[in-house]
């Protein structure tokens, strides 16, 4: 079959300049070619009729030979052109990197010491005693929930930057980040409690980061204290004290009474001298982001540890995909600073975007250079994400191809028209369904919006949510998470997804609360992480249907069967004797024959002699009839029971 272009006289071979151009490639499927021509697949099949192409085995997803691609375009009265193959030029690496240090410019610097250990073992109390402040009273629930960075002047005259990391199980990633930003770890273990889960975890972080440990056995003032037992338990985890021939100093202390604190600080300073800690305070700034948050008056704020150089106002810094021109510097007390050198903990204001905790901090020459670095890093991340997406697409295409080949084998004996008709018949019911029916979800789900005060808190809660393993009961969908107070956008997002908002250490204004109430959105605000998780577990449980159980009230044995005429119909009646409990007509009943349940439902009548009764007790004979047409047999058992419903709990154990 040959198609003639409209308006062209028969016999003329001149190509019309107005012909539609089709961009073709060497590898095109029937579907690809149809889309390129703006036609349906039937058009391609019809164009290949009366040719040597094997139409009986040709499918929409099957590759066409180059000659048939050209033939289809020609027969359709169109002209083709080859698609141009463009190859992206490899981009120049614009990333910023750490500098090579010059030994002659290095100067001694204060050590960065991280306090680690299990929850409630007295880490913050120890730091409080060292710097004579009242941090413990400020902690929600008596536990530290952020990484706190403080510069402490020791009685010996030296200065030490302390990092107080949370001991709670939820803050695993935060403790890991603390270990990689520190020179020395003071592992706090309660003398009355011994080595616990987070103690072991802290030891593992220290070993992975290759950071030396000093053990402070706290609460030695308690009567039940056993510091020797703590030293023995530490041996099991590779922490060998000096008394056992190792190199780890194990010092018994009491943060509450101040016992042996001077000995602990001397041990810390001595270990720092052995490590010969040095840095270059004059070069470009290098450091690490400890935590980040959004402040209403200051905007994006990042707490950092300076590792090299001296950060000052006007410095241009890059951290991950964020950059800043430093506008203000503050210490841990909120006092403004002119500059901060190596090992100093400082809060920086002036970030364009909120940096992620744990990111490497580097100084660059200018704002233009910072934009180039951020753009390059964004490009690299996008490329990595694109490769992952392409890999997933290829896997799905392979799965689709395998399914397609299986379906094709079942219709191999049919022509392409017959196959199309067979597939239409097979999918007719699905095609007739409304879109709402196709997308209807039968699985229960709880969409969540999560907001936190700092990046580290959000990361810790996200880590907890990753442990959720009750998807078979209720699907937990994280719609959005971020740092900062609950906003109007969060409420509208929760309304769109019919979800809930959970906030940690953040607030919501009265106008936001009123909007949420108007939209029917639940806002859960908490300052203690385990209470937030308990609240979340309760809401997940509330989505589940109640568990219904049967409470047996009584049983009766069928002794004889009678036929009674009622309303012109014969109704089977069972003559029974109650052998345990009682029968209550208002409850549910079950008919058992051997091990089989023949019926469940309600009674239409319950009589004692000729009187209608509500209940029949043990040992009393009665007659009863069911709300179903069933034949009784002597020996059947009638069970009276009530349905008891109780709330179903989500099977998720986050670890506390």
């Amino acid at each position: 079959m040959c198609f003639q272009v409209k308006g062209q006289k028969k016999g003329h071979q001149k190509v019309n300049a107005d012909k539609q151009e089709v961009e073709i490639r060497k590898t095109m499927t029937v579907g690809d070619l149809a889309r390129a021509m703006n036609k349906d697949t039937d058009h391609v099949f019809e164009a290949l009729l009366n040719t040597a192409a094997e139409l009986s085995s040709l499918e929409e997803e099957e590759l066409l030979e180059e000659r048939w691609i050209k033939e289809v375009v020609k027969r359709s009265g169109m002209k083709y052109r080859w698609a141009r193959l463009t190859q992206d030029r490899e981009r120049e690496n614009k990333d910023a990197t750490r500098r090579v240090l010059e030994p002659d410019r290095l100067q001694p610097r204060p050590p960065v010491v991280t306090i680690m250990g299990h929850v409630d073992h007295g880490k913050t109390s120890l730091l409080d005693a060292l710097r004579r402040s009242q941090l413990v009273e400020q902690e929600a629930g008596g536990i530290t929930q952020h990484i706190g960075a403080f510069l402490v002047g020791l009685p010996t005259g030296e200065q030490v930057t302390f990092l107080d990391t949370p001991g709670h199980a939820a803050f695993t990633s935060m403790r890991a980040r603390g270990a990689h930003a520190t020179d020395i770890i003071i592992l706090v273990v309660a003398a009355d409690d011994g080595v616990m889960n987070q103690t072991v975890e802290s030891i593992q972080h220290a070993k992975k980061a290759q950071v030396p440990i000093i053990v402070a056995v706290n609460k030695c003032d308690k009567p039940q204290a056993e510091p020797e037992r703590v030293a023995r338990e530490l041996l099991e985890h590779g922490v060998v004290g000096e008394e056992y021939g190792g190199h780890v100093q194990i010092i018994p202390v009491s943060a509450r009474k101040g016992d042996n604190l001077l000995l602990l600080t001397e041990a810390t300073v001595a270990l720092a001298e052995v490590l010969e800690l040095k840095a270059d305070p004059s070069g470009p700034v290098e450091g690490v982001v400890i935590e980040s948050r959004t402040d209403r008056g200051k905007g994006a704020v990042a707490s950092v540890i300076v590792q090299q150089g001296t950060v000052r106002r006007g410095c241009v810094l890059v951290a991950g995909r964020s950059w800043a021109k430093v506008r203000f510097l503050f210490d841990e007390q909120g006092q403004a600073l002119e500059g901060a050198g190596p090992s100093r903990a400082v809060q920086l204001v002036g970030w364009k975007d909120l940096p992620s905790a744990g990111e490497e901090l580097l100084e660059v020459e200018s704002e233009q250079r910072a934009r180039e670095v951020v753009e390059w890093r964004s490009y690299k991340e996008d490329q990595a994400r694109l490769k992952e997406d392409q890999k997933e697409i290829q896997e799905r295409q392979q799965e689709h191809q395998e399914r397609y080949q299986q379906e094709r084998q079942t219709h191999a004996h049919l022509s392409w028209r017959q196959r199309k008709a067979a597939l239409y018949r097979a999918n007719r019911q699905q095609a007739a369904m409304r879109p709402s029916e196709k997308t209807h979800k039968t699985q229960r789900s709880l969409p969540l919006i999560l907001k936190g005060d700092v990046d580290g808190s959000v990361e810790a809660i996200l880590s907890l949510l990753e442990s959720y393993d009750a998807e078979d009961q209720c699907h937990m969908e994280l719609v959005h998470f971020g740092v900062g107070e609950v906003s109007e956008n969060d409420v509208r997002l929760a309304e769109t997804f019919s979800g809930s908002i959970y906030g940690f250490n953040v607030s919501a204004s009265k106008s936001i609360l009123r909007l949420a109430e108007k939209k029917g959105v639940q806002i859960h605000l908490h300052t203690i992480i385990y209470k937030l998780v308990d609240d979340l577990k309760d809401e997940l449980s509330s989505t589940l249907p109640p568990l219904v159980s049967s409470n047996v009230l009584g049983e009766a044995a069928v002794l004889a069967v009678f036929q009674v005429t009622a309303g012109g119909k014969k109704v089977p009646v069972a003559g029974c004797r109650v052998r345990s409990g009682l029968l209550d007509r208002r409850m549910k009943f079950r008919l058992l024959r051997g091990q089989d349940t023949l019926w469940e439902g309600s009674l239409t009548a319950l009589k004692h002699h000729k009187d209608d009764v509500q209940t029949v007790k043990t040992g009393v004979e009665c007659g009863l009839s069911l709300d179903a047409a069933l034949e009784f047999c002597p020996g059947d058992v009638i069970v009276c029971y009530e349905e008891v419903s109780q709330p179903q709990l989500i099977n998720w154990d986050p670890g506390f």
Side-chain angles (χ1 to χ4, degrees), residues 300 321-325 327 349-355 367 371:
R321 296 172 63 175
S322 305
W323 69 277
K325 183 174 183 180
R327 294 192 290 117
V349 179
W351 295 92
K352 306 303 177 184
D353 299 296
L354 201 65
E367 295 183 34
R371 293 189 186 95

Side-chain angles (χ1 to χ4, degrees), residues 20-21 55 59 61 78 106 148 180 246 251 258-259 269 319 402 415 419 422 434 452 499 584 586 592 595:
Q20 178 184 338
E21 266 194 345
L55 293 181
E59 297 289 347
E61 289 82 9
M78 304 178 185
L106 299 180
H180 285 81
I251 302 172
D259 296 342
V269 172
E402 290 174 357
S415 67
R419 282 198 301 271
R434 294 189 297 271
D584 190 332
R586 295 166 296 185
L592 303 180
Q595 299 296 324

